Amino acid sequence: MQNKEGKIIDLIRITDPRGNLTVAEGMKDVPFSIARAYWVYDVPAGECRGGHAHKHCRSFIIAVSGSFTVTLDDGRERHTFLLNHPYQGLLVDTGVWRTLDDFSSGAVCLVLASDPFSEEDYIRDYDEFKKYAAERWLK
């Protein structure tokens, strides 16, 4: 599934009776150089993660264990993606508000980011994001 804000990308899945293997290489499987990796886990039932947008950083989000939903909002439309396969990732472009919800028990969310952490890159207030998105749409 693809839209303006996000795209599901299938990763290479090597199946083996001893256990499966999936690889994500920057500039090959992930369409940017990977500058940072982080993971979210032990999310209590009912909690929401994300709740922000990035001005410059692109993200690739993978459910390496369990499942969760990602809702992407570009200021005009919202689309929700269920991530529940460790061999798929969701590419999230810049200027897109994201929320992560409905974490299953034991879910692990891996995020590969194009940029190192910079607080200045974050938009953490939704009203500020709506203004930012409206300006982008006028360009």
Side-chain angles (χ1 to χ4, degrees):
M1 178 180 280
Q2 177 179 351
N3 57 50
K4 295 175 202 158
E5 319 73 67
K7 175 183 178 182
I8 294 285
I9 296 175
D10 289 323
L11 299 169
I12 295 170
R13 180 169 59 163
I14 301 166
T15 58
D16 186 302
R18 301 169 297 160
N20 299 332
L21 174 79
T22 294
V23 176
E25 294 182 18
M27 300 304 296
K28 183 178 176 188
D29 308 298
V30 179
F32 54 77
S33 294
I34 300 166
R36 178 170 51 124
Y38 60 93
W39 45 101
V40 178
Y41 55 95
D42 292 342
V43 178
E47 288 298 319
C48 175
R49 296 294 310 211
H52 64 270
H54 290 282
K55 298 173 188 172
H56 303 287
C57 185
R58 296 170 73 194
S59 303
F60 192 70
I61 304 172
I62 304 166
V64 293
S65 182
S67 65
F68 51 88
T69 59
V70 181
T71 301
L72 301 181
D73 177 347
D74 68 359
R76 288 187 172 174
E77 297 179 350
R78 287 185 181 169
H79 296 277
T80 299
F81 300 85
L82 173 63
L83 297 183
N84 61 353
H85 299 295
Y87 54 84
Q88 289 182 328
L90 177 62
L91 178 63
V92 182
D93 208 350
T94 60
V96 176
W97 189 268
R98 79 278 327 265
T99 56
L100 288 73
D101 296 288
D102 304 320
F103 284 81
S104 68
S105 178
V108 178
C109 169
L110 171 65
V111 180
L112 306 177
S114 65
D115 298 341
F117 176 80
S118 170
E119 186 60 39
E120 292 78 33
D121 184 51
Y122 282 77
I123 304 170
R124 296 187 186 273
D125 179 84
Y126 188 72
D127 289 332
E128 181 184 331
F129 165 73
K130 288 191 296 188
K131 291 175 189 171
Y132 178 83
E135 290 174 10
R136 287 186 69 188
W137 284 111
L138 291 175
K139 293 181 184 180

